[in-house]
Amino acid sequence: MTGEVIFALEGKRVYVAGHRGMVGSALVRRLAAENCTIVTASRAELDLKDQASVRTWFARETPDVVFLAAAKVGGILANDSYPADFLYDNLMIEANVVEAAYRSGVEKLMFLGSSCIYPKLAPQPIVEASLLTGALEPTNEWYAVAKIAGIKLCQAYRRQHGCDFISAMPTNLYGPGDNFDLASSHVLPALIRKAHEAKTSESPTMEIWGTGTPRREFLHVDDLADACIFLMRRYSQDEHVNVGSGDDIPIIELVKLVCDVVGFKGEISQDLSKPDGTPRKLMSGDKLQSMGWTPTIGLREGIADVYGRFIEQEARLGA
Ligand code: GFB
């Protein structure tokens, strides 16, 4: 597969759905370097779960390009605790945006999914063709089913209506604008907060969830945004494309790395009442790499950057 540019962003009206979220805001930052007009709508202006509002908004704003980064997201516990929200909200958002994009004549749309679409025990590294070959991880199957439906919507509109709608599947993401709320966050921001609070309160221990043995792959959201722009320009097929860093790490090693960056030197305790989730989900990045894209932000460097921002944010909130 070659990485030739086949689609121009220049001069286009580019709608980023979910621009206040971690992924959407990274896309807005990255698109600022492009010669295009970025279009956004706040939640108060546009409820993406409301079909009529979405149709009216698309008919009025007529975007040429859509990045569908709006989603109900959360870590393992939030996914497990609110299955209805994760399934319903995501299905509604995807269905409304894809249909409105088709009706209003959007030239190209990218749907963003997640590596949890793959079977719990998929062979590693996970290739795109593993989709729908086995049972899902139970803690996040609701979210996964919604994200699989998003891929299928893009494929169906491509097949039936000839729409140029594509899908990208990012691995576990982190970066500026992440959610640091311990009950709903993903592991990386949770560990940053826990290590920072344990250090500042001089606690002898810091608690992690589960056994620490699951392995996860992490990608900085600015790398993801760059990959999305790359694919928007170069990819136009119905199969989704994995976007990862190419490496995974056991959670306990991630804990040590975060503690090292933050400077917490105490003991680690485990809350074994919390789920481990899928044992491993390292994605194969061969497809994207063969087009000529690779990530640039290393994990330690990325964590140090996010920790710096976290301290600034805490200082602002405390001021
Ligand atoms: O990031 P995370 O919440 O989600 O958890 P998943 C990853 C691993 O870190 C699990 C462990 O094995 C957790 O048990 N972990 C250890 C912790 N300490 C903590 C902690 O303090 N907080 C959290 N949150 N985890 C999500 C899915 O799965 O990944 C979503 O639920 C989505 O659907 C997302 O796909 C990317 O990687 O397990």
Side-chain angles (χ1 to χ4, degrees):
M1 195 174 297
T2 63
E4 273 171 58
V5 172
I6 52 171
F7 182 79
L9 284 170
E10 288 69 28
K12 303 276 166 72
R13 286 173 62 72
V14 181
Y15 171 42
V16 179
H19 73 287
R20 292 255 165 84
M22 181 173 73
V23 172
S25 54
L27 283 165
V28 169
R29 282 197 299 279
R30 176 62 186 76
L31 283 165
E34 302 297 325
N35 185 14
C36 62
T37 304
I38 302 168
V39 184
T40 59
S42 69
R43 227 173 256 200
E45 286 169 279
L46 175 60
D47 176 2
L48 291 172
K49 288 182 283 182
D50 184 81
Q51 186 186 47
S53 309
V54 175
R55 277 190 192 172
T56 307
W57 188 89
F58 268 79
R60 194 183 62 231
E61 298 294 332
T62 61
D64 304 306
V65 180
V66 176
F67 286 95
L68 179 38
K72 164 94 182 157
V73 298
I76 192 166
L77 192 63
N79 268 265
D80 208 18
S81 309
Y82 305 106
D85 291 354
F86 277 84
L87 185 54
Y88 176 81
D89 289 10
N90 287 308
L91 286 174
M92 293 303 285
I93 293 168
E94 292 156 18
N96 290 339
V97 172
V98 167
E99 167 74 7
Y102 156 60
R103 280 177 179 247
S104 67
V106 163
E107 286 174 41
K108 192 156 187 176
L109 174 146
M110 174 183 282
F111 168 68
L112 284 144
S114 161
S115 58
C116 71
I117 57 160
Y118 291 115
K120 178 183 173 96
L121 300 176
Q124 313 280 317
I126 312 173
V127 292
E128 284 83 356
S130 287
L131 183 65
L132 293 173
T133 55
L136 296 165
E137 153 61 31
T139 52
N140 58 31
E141 65 178 317
W142 321 97
Y143 179 72
V145 164
K147 289 295 181 183
I148 293 169
I151 297 173
K152 292 293 164 192
L153 276 166
C154 291
Q155 292 175 347
Y157 279 70
R158 173 179 289 274
R159 187 167 301 190
Q160 187 177 333
H161 300 302
C163 297
D164 194 357
F165 293 175
I166 59 173
S167 301
M169 294 303 117
T171 190
N172 285 35
L173 301 168
Y174 71 98
D178 213 338
N179 167 20
F180 288 90
D181 169 58
L182 292 181
S184 58
S185 72
H186 289 99
V187 60
L188 224 163
L191 295 179
I192 289 177
R193 174 178 283 283
K194 285 178 176 179
H196 176 74
E197 289 178 354
K199 181 180 87 168
T200 48
S201 66
E202 296 179 10
S203 166
T205 58
M206 162 184 154
E207 188 180 81
I208 66 161
W209 294 354
T211 61
T213 56
R215 300 177 71 95
R216 292 290 183 274
E217 177 187 10
F218 295 95
L219 182 73
H220 194 283
V221 74
D222 286 344
D223 271 335
L224 170 73
D226 191 60
C228 290
I229 309 296
F230 180 95
L231 283 168
M232 186 59 96
R233 288 207 164 102
R234 293 171 175 83
Y235 189 74
S236 178
Q237 288 176 31
D238 74 348
E239 191 179 55
H240 58 284
V241 182
N242 290 343
V243 186
S245 62
D247 283 319
D248 66 355
I249 173 173
I251 294 300
I252 196 65
E253 294 303 317
L254 179 73
V255 172
K256 288 180 194 160
L257 183 55
V258 170
C259 288
D260 197 36
V261 170
V262 171
F264 172 67
K265 296 182 175 32
E267 299 292 316
I268 304 302
S269 66
Q270 291 169 325
D271 176 357
L272 296 176
S273 72
K274 296 289 194 307
D276 266 349
T278 195
R280 197 176 181 201
K281 49 175 172 176
L282 175 65
M283 298 200 301
S284 163
D286 286 357
K287 187 168 169 172
L288 182 53
Q289 221 173 347
S290 73
M291 285 183 256
W293 186 87
T294 45
T296 59
I297 305 171
L299 187 55
R300 173 181 276 274
E301 176 198 348
I303 293 172
D305 169 58
V306 174
Y307 181 48
R309 291 168 193 269
F310 173 76
I311 293 173
E312 280 170 23
Q313 184 182 310
E314 290 296 286
R316 271 200 308 277
L317 290 175

